[in-house]
Amino acid sequence: DGGITQSPKYLFRKEGQNVTLSCEQNLNHDAMYWYRQDPGQGLRLIYYSQIVNDFQKGDIAEGYSVSREKKESFPLTVTSAQKNPTAFYLCASQQGARYNSPLHFGNGTRLTVT
Amino acid sequence: QQQVKQSPQSLIVQKGGISIINCAYENTAFDYFPWYQQFPGKGPALLIAIRPDVSEKKEGRFTISFNKSAKQFSLHIMDSQPGDSATYFCAAFTGGGNKLTFGTGTQLKVEL
């Protein structure tokens, strides 16, 4: 089945530790995105990448980093600089980043930092 | 800065009733308006979408109404069913920015 796989589903970390969230897609999509979902705030864009080896900051990039070394993979690192890292993180992909091309989302990773 | 404002935050509707969710935007550069549906523990999935040159789009029980002059659009779910219970997000896309801006979401519960 084609789709997006996010792992792990739940992740627990101690404050001050960096943590990397995995996102893999086998849809052969060009564009990939990371969103953060918090109650009452909707989905906010962290980073996005339209092509391998290139990515742009979204609206809330501070404290996060990404890489796009392969078309199918777009890992997100939550660094210790992120002030409120506990959230539900969603990865998405899109064919061509065109307006009428829907985003395909993974099932998310819930990160809890204590 | 919230570029897409969505209301209500939560909504309870009786089975068979009409669910209405409203969104408003400010950026006139937005040129595509999708709605996403999200079930608990899952990622959102595209439900229906509209371009600003169309005032209404219907797919089954789901209808988007679009008012370009008022910069508002809404989702209507006719004959709402318990299986429609989910969180709904409106969104707006600008080709120039090449990214999607989401509303804050509406948690819909359809009761028997």
Side-chain angles (χ1 to χ4, degrees), chain B residues 22-102:
Chain B
N22 300 299
C23 285
Y25 63 97
E26 298 172 356
N27 187 350
T28 55
F30 287 141
D31 55 10
Y32 182 64
F33 301 87
W35 286 86
Y36 282 77
Q37 179 188 53
Q38 182 183 31
F39 293 105
K42 303 293 185 182
L46 178 66
L47 183 64
I48 187 173
I50 197 168
R51 291 290 310 275
D53 53 351
V54 176
S55 61
E56 184 175 283
K57 183 173 182 180
K58 184 176 181 179
E59 289 185 3
R61 296 184 294 107
F62 300 90
T63 300
I64 300 177
S65 297
F66 190 86
N67 186 330
K68 188 175 182 178
S69 61
K71 292 186 284 186
Q72 296 176 346
F73 58 110
S74 60
L75 176 69
H76 295 234
I77 306 175
M78 312 300 289
D79 187 26
S80 298
Q81 300 297 313
D84 297 330
S85 297
T87 299
Y88 292 82
F89 294 96
C90 62
F93 183 87
T94 170
N98 239 8
K99 61 179 184 176
L100 210 52
T101 299
F102 284 87

Side-chain angles (χ1 to χ4, degrees), chain A:
Chain A
D1 287 338
I4 297 183
T5 301
Q6 289 188 243
S7 60
K9 189 172 180 65
Y10 298 96
L11 192 52
F12 298 88
R13 280 293 183 271
K14 294 291 188 183
E15 192 174 320
Q17 293 179 334
N18 291 354
V19 59
T20 297
L21 282 59
S22 170
C23 178
E24 302 280 330
Q25 57 103 353
N26 60 5
L27 299 167
N28 199 33
H29 285 174
D30 297 313
M32 296 188 75
Y33 303 80
W34 274 105
Y35 286 89
R36 170 180 171 142
Q37 184 174 6
D38 297 283
Q41 297 196 55
L43 280 69
R44 293 181 291 167
L45 182 63
I46 305 173
Y47 268 98
Y48 63 105
S49 168
Q50 296 179 358
I51 195 170
V52 175
N53 292 323
D54 187 44
F55 49 82
Q56 288 78 42
K57 293 182 179 180
D59 300 318
I60 56 165
E62 185 175 349
Y64 300 98
S65 65
V66 294
S67 62
R68 187 83 187 279
E69 297 176 0
K70 299 185 295 182
K71 187 176 184 178
E72 60 269 25
S73 179
F74 191 41
L76 173 74
T77 297
V78 184
T79 75
S80 57
Q82 166 53 228
K83 299 301 181 188
N84 297 294
T86 295
F88 188 52
Y89 291 88
L90 287 160
C91 179
S93 70
Q94 183 185 34
Q95 180 57 51
R98 298 189 302 274
Y99 75 91
N100 60 349
S101 176
L103 265 65
H104 294 256
F105 284 88
N107 286 327
T109 292
R110 187 167 297 280
L111 173 65
T112 302
V113 177
T114 57

Side-chain angles (χ1 to χ4, degrees), chain B residues 11-20 77 80 108-112:
Chain B
L11 181 61
I12 300 175
V13 174
Q14 296 299 308
K15 180 173 181 268
I18 302 174
S19 303
I20 301 175
I77 306 175
S80 298
L108 171 66
K109 182 177 181 181
V110 181
E111 294 184 334
L112 292 169

